[in-house]
Amino acid sequence: MEESTDISIKQATQELLHTAIFQNISKRTNEMFAQKLAFWLVRYILLISSMNESLNINLEQILSNLHGERLKKIVSITNNSVNSTHNDSNNSDYYIW
């Protein structure tokens, strides 16, 4: 018997909340914020993967279609933040804060 790979949004959100990054987010903000963020990320992931599957376009094109010019600003801000954190930290193993 073949095992189903389908997972509900609720299950995916719960799995995401159990990851180290979301446990850290929950500690730094609050549990409700982390839950809402996880829920929105799961929905966003489903939307993007669905666009890839149905339209057969790559991730970069999907993000560009969804965010337009804002994508460049998002990439710039996140790159600066990651580079700053990496340069300031003695331990590059930390990926958040």
Side-chain angles (χ1 to χ4, degrees):
M1 180 176 233
E2 190 173 313
E3 186 176 327
S4 174
T5 58
D6 291 342
I7 185 169
S8 72
I9 291 176
K10 184 176 180 178
Q11 289 171 310
T13 301
Q14 289 303 311
E15 285 186 23
L16 193 53
L17 286 167
H18 286 89
T19 63
I21 190 169
F22 268 87
Q23 289 176 357
N24 191 319
I25 289 169
S26 185
K27 287 178 190 173
R28 295 186 58 89
T29 59
N30 62 60
E31 192 173 323
M32 182 59 73
F33 179 85
Q35 288 175 354
K36 287 181 178 181
L37 179 60
F39 177 72
W40 276 100
L41 285 174
V42 168
R43 289 174 60 182
Y44 188 72
I45 290 166
L46 291 172
L47 171 69
I48 289 173
S49 61
S50 190
M51 288 176 72
N52 172 263
E53 183 179 20
S54 62
L55 302 174
N56 199 27
I57 55 179
N58 65 33
L59 177 62
E60 291 76 14
Q61 185 62 48
I62 293 168
L63 293 174
S64 180
N65 290 349
L66 290 174
H67 300 289
E69 284 298 313
R70 290 183 185 169
L71 179 63
K72 290 178 186 175
K73 190 170 187 176
I74 292 167
V75 170
S76 174
I77 290 169
T78 55
N79 281 344
N80 289 340
S81 177
V82 168
N83 289 337
S84 173
T85 302
H86 179 70
N87 292 336
D88 292 345
S89 175
N90 292 332
N91 186 349
S92 62
D93 293 337
Y94 294 106
Y95 55 87
I96 186 169
W97 297 288

